Amino acid sequence: MANHAREDVEAQVARETAERRLWDPGATLLVAVSGGADSLCLLGALLDLREKQHPLAPGAIVVATLDHGLRGKTGAEDSAWVATLARELGLRCVNDAVDTRTFARKRQLSLEDAGRRLRYRFLRQAAHEAGASRICLAHTLNDQAETVLLRLLRGAGLGGLAGMRPLRGNLARPLLGVTRAQTEAYCSARGWEPRKDETNSDERYLRNRVRLRLLPALADYNPQINASLARLASAVADDEQILEQICDDAWSGVAAHDAVGSVSLALAQLAERPRSIRRRLIMRAARALTTTAEACDAESVASPLEGRHVALIERLALLGETGSSLSLPGGLRAERTYTSLRLTVAASAPAAETGATYEHEKRMWTLTAPGSVEAAELGWRVRAVISDLPPGLEDADLPPWPDLPPLVHVGTAAALPRGEWRAYVDADFATGPLRVRGWRSGDRFRPLGMAHSRKLQDVFTDAKIPRALRHRLPIVFTGEGASERIIWVAGLRASDEFKLTSATSRILVLQAEPLELLDDSRGNAASNSDEESQPR
């Protein structure tokens, strides 16, 4: 019986990995392990893939464990226990400890939200240092059901009900089809005794109350409630993908960044869209104002708007009088003009207008090709590789480029589905050490396709890049002092000086990735703060 429990889980993980193509063959995986049954089950199943030489068997497996500092000696012991297990299995282990309470107090966050942010920050840093292309998380079918219910209770839209995705960015969840009972049986079959986290039974946490009270009550009406909610999430996720693509296509024709901290949606074009797309466009405009600068500052946050706020904004757009307005959470304000719905956000004056300087203007980072550098003050990681292959065939040397919307809001670049997050330049022209820094007053370069150099400030203005974001975009350059030459402004354009030609023999491929991934918050209000409140 025990062997069946193990074989069933391992077969299920192998099938999920293949069907979803969660990673490439031989990929280095970072596995988040708390010592609980779920994470131990994940680790064992990944080891089995390698032992059986599955076609998508991982290469190196690196264990990562974090002591959140919430359980005193017990938390430290659990972290040490995981490190010992990893050593016995012949695996490298990365561990760390953080002070979640202090972090929560300083950021005015709940303990759950603070722990989640610190955990993902640790995992991303560990993955970067280990060269891992995927971070594997042990969320199960039960976790998915809890997440869907939590988001339903908090008023999330369709995107929230899609739950957690098997693959989002570099986060992989191979256990979403496995139940908690199965992970416990798997550990028993392996002879592993999972660590117990007493905070998982602390009913001060909403997720625990949902798991311990609400789901058992619902099981009286449907004994398969967990599976039903997980199926709902999967079905909604498929529909959500299509709706987001429709919203992507509609965005450039409806929205414009017409001033600092302002997005306008054309009323006529907005009214033509179906209600679902209208509301998504409104939500996207709100996120563009409230998350752009913060995400680049290594802090991904959800929109402050709930469904009821979006409904009020929609009503203002369709039925309101010219000049009428709404004050909204997060410093947002919606105003109906004669031709548009204008959303603005209260913000401090940009440094260029106040005479202040950004601390990170003084920083520079050296970038080696092949290699990567983290410009933490800017909130980005920049990668560089040298390729002899035509553009588009270098994916084996780089992780997938970020699934982010374009920053440019006018011209051809505004229609690009991913924006300028990967650039191709002639490696033989980009001589000398490569460096990364932020925008400085007086910067000039010749954008690709242009005959003359321009002030970068003017290029930003023409492209309607929000002022708060301009100082956060990484700039790759070569040379020093007066001989500096800008190669690429991430999110905007490469320099014409370094463009590819028929004579190009080696290509320098540059890629920018936000340090704080946008994870599962895309398209949802109140949907990303509850995920994995306590590690398993």
Side-chain angles (χ1 to χ4, degrees):
M1 195 71 172
N3 285 336
H4 281 305
R6 176 173 173 177
E7 290 169 0
D8 287 348
V9 168
E10 290 173 347
Q12 198 162 345
V13 170
R15 186 165 56 250
E16 178 77 1
T17 300
E19 289 178 356
R20 304 281 187 175
R21 186 80 182 195
L22 296 183
W23 50 76
D24 293 329
T28 296
L29 304 182
L30 184 86
V31 188
V33 181
S34 66
D38 296 349
S39 58
L40 290 180
C41 175
L42 173 61
L43 179 61
L46 295 178
L47 287 170
D48 178 74
L49 288 179
R50 199 167 64 175
E51 291 164 4
K52 293 179 178 176
Q53 298 183 335
H54 185 275
L56 288 178
I61 295 176
V62 181
V63 172
T65 186
L66 180 67
D67 176 11
H68 291 76
L70 296 173
R71 299 186 295 128
K73 182 180 178 182
T74 304
E77 289 174 347
D78 286 353
S79 182
W81 185 88
V82 171
T84 299
L85 175 66
R87 186 167 57 251
E88 292 172 353
L89 294 172
L91 302 176
R92 177 186 167 195
C93 181
V94 181
N95 56 7
D96 199 0
V98 292
D99 186 347
T100 303
R101 285 192 176 87
T102 298
F103 182 80
R105 187 169 59 251
K106 288 182 177 179
R107 298 294 187 93
Q108 296 183 323
L109 302 170
S110 68
L111 281 179
E112 301 102 305
D113 194 15
R116 184 188 66 85
R117 294 185 187 216
L118 289 171
R119 182 162 54 255
Y120 280 103
R121 178 181 297 178
F122 161 69
L123 291 173
R124 292 181 186 109
Q125 179 64 30
H128 172 64
E129 292 176 355
S133 60
R134 292 288 185 271
I135 298 170
C136 292
L137 305 172
H139 295 123
T140 65
L141 183 146
N142 298 67
D143 293 312
Q144 184 75 296
E146 293 166 13
T147 296
V148 172
L149 268 184
L150 279 165
R151 294 179 178 180
L152 182 63
L153 292 172
R154 288 171 172 167
L158 195 63
L161 298 184
M164 297 176 285
R165 313 299 169 85
L167 182 63
R168 172 72 84 178
N170 69 341
L171 302 177
R173 299 181 173 92
L175 296 186
L176 283 181
V178 176
T179 67
R180 193 161 296 140
Q182 285 180 292
T183 68
E184 292 170 352
Y186 182 89
C187 290
S188 178
R190 277 266 192 179
W192 291 340
E193 185 174 348
R195 306 290 287 185
K196 301 296 182 183
D197 184 347
E198 63 275 12
T199 63
N200 285 332
S201 59
D202 187 342
E203 294 193 9
R204 289 177 297 177
Y205 298 113
L206 177 58
R207 178 178 283 271
N208 290 346
R209 295 199 299 276
V210 166
R211 183 175 68 254
L212 299 174
R213 294 187 185 183
L214 182 55
L215 277 168
L218 292 174
D220 289 339
Y221 298 90
N222 178 4
Q224 300 300 317
I225 185 63
N226 285 319
S228 295
L229 289 169
R231 281 196 301 272
L232 170 65
S234 180
V236 171
D238 291 340
D239 292 345
E240 177 72 6
Q241 186 174 1
I242 296 172
L243 288 168
E244 277 299 302
Q245 182 59 58
I246 295 172
C247 191
D248 287 343
D249 295 340
W251 177 256
S252 60
V254 175
H257 282 258
D258 52 5
V260 179
S262 172
V263 176
S264 287
L265 303 177
L267 288 178
Q269 287 82 353
L270 190 65
E272 291 173 354
R273 265 63 185 189
R275 184 181 185 186
S276 171
I277 303 304
R278 277 202 305 268
R279 294 192 170 190
R280 285 169 182 271
L281 290 168
I282 291 169
M283 197 61 145
R284 183 170 294 193
R287 288 201 312 274
L289 293 175
T290 58
T291 69
T292 302
E294 292 166 290
C296 290
D297 203 16
E299 206 57 57
S300 175
V301 289
S303 166
L305 300 187
E306 298 176 3
R308 59 191 177 92
H309 301 127
V310 176
L312 288 171
I313 298 171
E314 181 190 29
R315 183 176 180 179
L316 174 69
L318 300 181
L319 303 174
E321 296 181 357
T322 299
S324 55
S325 62
L326 288 170
S327 293
L328 301 157
L332 283 168
R333 185 174 183 81
E335 180 184 4
R336 192 188 193 280
T337 70
Y338 184 71
T339 60
S340 66
L341 171 71
R342 187 166 179 258
L343 274 72
T344 56
V345 64
S348 57
E353 297 178 354
T354 63
T357 57
Y358 288 87
E359 183 62 28
H360 56 261
E361 286 186 2
K362 305 173 185 177
R363 288 294 313 275
M364 288 192 299
W365 297 265
T366 299
L367 176 62
T368 304
S372 65
V373 64
E374 285 196 2
E377 286 84 348
L378 301 178
W380 294 86
R381 176 181 298 119
V382 181
R383 299 181 190 270
V385 299
I386 301 294
S387 175
D388 298 324
L389 300 172
L393 299 181
E394 73 289 338
D395 283 346
D397 299 319
L398 286 168
W401 52 15
D403 185 16
L404 300 176
L407 298 181
V408 177
H409 295 279
V410 295
T412 304
L416 298 177
R418 301 180 190 274
E420 295 283 346
W421 303 118
R422 185 180 290 182
Y424 305 90
V425 299
D426 193 314
D428 293 323
F429 282 105
T431 56
L434 301 176
R435 294 185 175 88
V436 177
R437 61 168 171 80
W439 173 38
R440 293 175 179 172
S441 178
D443 275 345
R444 299 182 67 94
F445 86 124
R446 180 154 58 100
L448 185 64
M450 293 190 177
H452 305 286
S453 69
R454 301 187 63 201
K455 285 186 177 180
L456 182 51
Q457 178 176 341
D458 294 338
V459 178
F460 281 145
T461 300
D462 289 348
K464 298 187 184 296
I465 303 295
R467 289 179 187 265
L469 180 57
R470 298 175 189 181
H471 286 272
R472 295 296 185 184
L473 292 178
I475 294 172
V476 180
F477 68 99
T478 186
E480 296 184 36
S483 63
E484 273 189 10
R485 296 180 298 157
I486 291 178
I487 299 173
W488 179 46
V489 182
L492 189 63
R493 198 174 294 187
S495 169
D496 193 84
E497 182 181 354
F498 300 93
K499 67 183 178 184
L500 303 181
T501 68
S502 59
T504 299
S505 59
R506 297 187 313 135
I507 298 175
L508 172 63
V509 188
L510 301 168
Q511 179 165 306
E513 306 156 8
L515 291 178
E516 196 76 8
L517 295 180
L518 300 182
D519 196 25
D520 286 343
S521 62
R522 185 180 181 186
N524 306 310
S527 68
N528 74 338
S529 62
D530 48 34
E531 194 168 296
E532 198 196 10
S533 293
Q534 293 88 41
R536 307 230 176 254

